[in-house]
């Protein structure tokens, strides 16, 4: 059994927000694994569930209670969320207020989306094995094209005009770039590959002179503070191409909110699909939000067939955040060992349901995470 890592500490509190569609199905499995892994490592955890979702919105008119961000920041160490989005709320208002609202109002400026392929059989690339797919997309998470500034002029007329602003602040770009360089210095991948940690900025300063230009200038300034890292640049379109053709050349990709959203779904494909990709919305030292990269998958919801591994790997990121790195590694290894054994849901070629895949991870975890 792993050595106790945090036995001396008071209980850590985690808020669970299952959300919509497959969110509650995958979060139930992530919650079970979290409880089992933390118990094994001596980390005392208290979990409390919150109902914020489309169902709750449609029943009560409430999206996110006004005091929720303050309450979460005061009373909880972290939030573990499922997914938000429901065809009955076509303008996505509840998801905007719950998910983007928490990212903004908790000021979770770094959305960390690891792209790590756990087994050769999950790599979609011909001749590229799992060992070559191990990097992190660091997505700015509070501004950019997600700032919510814009409007409609002459709506409903042939002259209808939509304006959607894209805001980048020096402070926002600088802290994101600094986070990316600091994270790069902690990664095992570059050491294993025998090179300096490499941070690549993905922007479009060739087309977006102002915002893109600011990103490019600030990135180069922050790079000078981190001589132990190698700083590179690639236009975001070419970076998407490089992710597919040469993923092994990447350690950290730093990018803005919208490019990060797109690139991290390409990254999910490199790990076996959206069902496998975890993420952490961070502001170092503050209550942070953990969620799988995928959405509510209305096409699968209610059938018990969604892949819970992305949510379970997200709970591994959460365990690391709570100071239990051994428990975190054990969870990741248990998932990897299920993948190697073919104990997976059907998106990965297996025949298990969501609960069965969660059971398989728990069994591997109990057996010590081994093969
Ligand atoms: P999606 O991620 O829900 O689904 C895209 C595809 O991936 C679908 O074919 C789906 O079946 C598959 N998929 C996703 N998760 C899976 C899993 N765990 N196991 C197996 N297959 C899985 O994206 P979408 O269809 O573009 O969006 C659906 C809804 O989710 C929308 O309302 C969207 O806004 C929302 N959304 C929410 C989040 C979030 O809450 N973080 C993220 C993305 C999309
Ligand atoms: C994600 C999602 C969200 C985003 C949506 C649901 C607003 O796609 O977390 O990747 O674009 O950030
Ligand atoms: Mn997305």
């Amino acid at each position: 059994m792993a050595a106790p890592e945090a036995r001396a500490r008071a209980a850590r509190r985690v808020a669970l927000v299952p959300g919509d569609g497959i969110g509650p199905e995958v979060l139930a499995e992530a919650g079970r694994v979290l409880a089992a892994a933390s118990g094994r490592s001596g980390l005392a955890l208290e979990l409390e569930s919150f109902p914020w979702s489309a169902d709750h919105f449609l029943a009560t008119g409430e999206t996110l209670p006004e005091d929720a961000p303050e309450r979460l920041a005061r009373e909880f160490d972290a939030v573990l969320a499922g997914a938000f989005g429901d065809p009955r709320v076509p303008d996505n208002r509840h998801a905007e207020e719950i998910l983007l609202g928490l990212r903004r109002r908790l000021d979770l400026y770094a959305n960390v989306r690891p792209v790590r392929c756990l087994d050769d059989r999950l790599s979609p690339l011909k001749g590229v094995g799992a060992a070559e797919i191990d990097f992190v997309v660091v997505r700015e998470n509070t501004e950019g094209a997600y700032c919510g500034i814009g409007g409609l002029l002459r709506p409903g007329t042939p002259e209808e005009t939509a304006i959607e602003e894209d805001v980048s602040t020096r402070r926002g770009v600088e802290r994101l770039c600094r986070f990316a360089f600091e994270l790069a210095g902690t990664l095992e991948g570059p050491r294993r590959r025998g090179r300096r940690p490499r941070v690549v900025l993905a922007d479009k300063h060739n087309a977006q002179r102002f915002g893109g230009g600011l990103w490019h200038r600030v990135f180069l300034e922050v790079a000078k503070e981190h001589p132990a890292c190698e700083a590179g640049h690639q236009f975001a379109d070419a970076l998407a191409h490089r992710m597919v053709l040469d993923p092994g050349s990447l350690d950290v990709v730093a990018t803005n909110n919208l490019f990060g959203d797109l690139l991290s779904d390409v990254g999910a494909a490199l790990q076996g699909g959206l069902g496998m990709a975890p993420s952490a919305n961070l502001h170092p030292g503050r209550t942070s939000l953990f969620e799988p990269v995928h959405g509510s998958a209305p096409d699968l919801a209610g059938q018990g067939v969604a892949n819970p591994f992305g949510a379970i790997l997200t709970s591994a990121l959460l365990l690391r955040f709570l100071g239990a790195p051994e428990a975190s590694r054990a969870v990741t290894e248990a998932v990897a060992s299920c993948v190697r054994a073919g104990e997976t849901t059907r998106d990965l070629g297996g025949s298990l349901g969501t609960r069965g895949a969660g059971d398989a991870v728990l069994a591997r975890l109990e057996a010590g995470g081994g093969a």
Side-chain angles (χ1 to χ4, degrees):
M1 183 173 147
E5 299 167 58
R7 198 157 274 165
R9 289 209 198 101
R12 298 307 197 94
R13 304 197 72 222
V14 177
L16 301 178
V17 190
D20 305 323
I22 64 168
E25 300 171 39
V26 298
L27 214 68
E29 302 315 312
R32 292 202 300 151
V33 170
L34 188 61
S38 59
R40 266 176 40 127
S41 74
L43 177 74
L45 264 193
E46 282 172 18
L47 306 178
E48 185 175 335
S49 285
F50 292 87
W52 310 321
S53 62
D55 276 347
H56 181 74
F57 172 55
L58 293 169
T60 66
E62 177 182 72
T63 55
L64 186 71
E66 194 40 43
D67 67 346
E70 293 70 29
R71 190 174 159 212
L72 291 169
R74 198 173 51 241
E75 297 177 17
F76 292 87
D77 295 288
V79 181
L80 178 60
F84 304 90
D86 186 300
R88 293 169 301 164
V89 188
D91 67 1
N92 212 28
R93 194 184 132 201
H94 72 297
E96 151 94 25
E97 290 184 19
I98 300 168
L99 184 65
L100 303 187
L102 286 177
R103 288 177 185 167
R104 282 189 205 119
R105 292 173 64 193
L106 293 171
D107 199 27
L108 303 174
Y109 66 87
N111 191 331
V112 173
R113 297 189 153 186
V115 177
R116 184 170 166 215
C117 187
L118 292 179
D119 191 71
D120 288 349
R121 75 184 66 207
L122 297 185
S123 167
L125 306 177
K126 192 171 49 171
V128 176
E132 288 175 70
I133 302 173
D134 183 9
F135 63 96
V136 184
V137 175
V138 180
R139 164 186 180 188
E140 202 294 322
N141 213 29
T142 55
E143 47 186 46
Y146 284 62
C147 65
I149 297 174
L152 288 179
L153 197 61
R154 295 189 276 276
T157 71
E159 291 76 36
E160 183 162 8
T161 304
I163 296 176
E164 195 86 56
E165 298 293 358
D166 186 339
V167 172
S168 298
T169 64
R170 171 171 278 275
R171 172 176 166 273
V173 174
E174 197 172 296
R175 68 182 181 172
L176 190 279
C177 291
R178 201 163 277 137
F179 182 100
F181 278 100
E182 281 166 14
L183 176 72
T186 69
L187 297 178
E188 284 164 23
R191 271 191 286 278
R192 203 182 51 245
R193 290 162 168 150
R195 66 174 183 233
R196 287 195 296 157
R198 184 176 286 165
V199 182
V200 179
L201 170 69
D203 69 19
K204 281 289 294 176
H205 72 261
N206 50 353
Q208 299 181 309
R209 206 152 35 110
F210 307 110
L214 179 71
W215 271 85
H216 194 215
R217 278 184 283 119
V218 171
F219 177 80
L220 294 176
E221 284 170 28
V222 174
K224 289 204 191 102
E225 297 167 11
H226 297 86
C229 292
E230 184 188 312
H233 172 269
Q234 190 112 41
F235 293 118
D237 48 354
L239 196 276
H241 177 261
R242 176 169 169 188
M243 279 175 68
V244 173
L245 292 186
D246 192 13
S249 70
L250 298 167
D251 298 319
V252 172
V253 174
T255 192
N256 73 17
N257 209 335
L258 184 57
F259 297 150
D261 183 43
L262 306 180
L263 293 174
S264 58
D265 270 28
V266 179
L270 296 176
Q271 299 167 81
L274 275 162
M276 291 301 291
S279 88
N281 302 265
L282 302 175
H283 182 135
R286 295 208 195 165
T287 300
S288 292
L289 167 68
F290 295 77
E291 42 156 356
V293 172
H294 65 72
S296 55
D299 54 326
L300 303 181
Q303 299 172 44
V305 296
N307 185 350
F309 289 173
I312 291 171
L313 292 168
T314 299
S315 75
L317 297 182
L318 173 51
L319 284 163
R320 182 151 16 112
F321 172 78
L322 293 176
E326 289 304 327
S328 172
R329 264 193 290 276
V331 169
T332 303
E333 184 45 39
V335 171
S337 118
C338 287
V339 169
R340 287 194 291 273
E343 294 171 1
T344 69
T345 45
R346 64 191 191 195
D347 53 314
L348 303 186
S351 59
L352 298 177
T354 309
R355 174 48 57 106
D359 285 341
V361 174
L362 284 168
R364 302 260 160 191
L365 200 56
E366 248 134 61

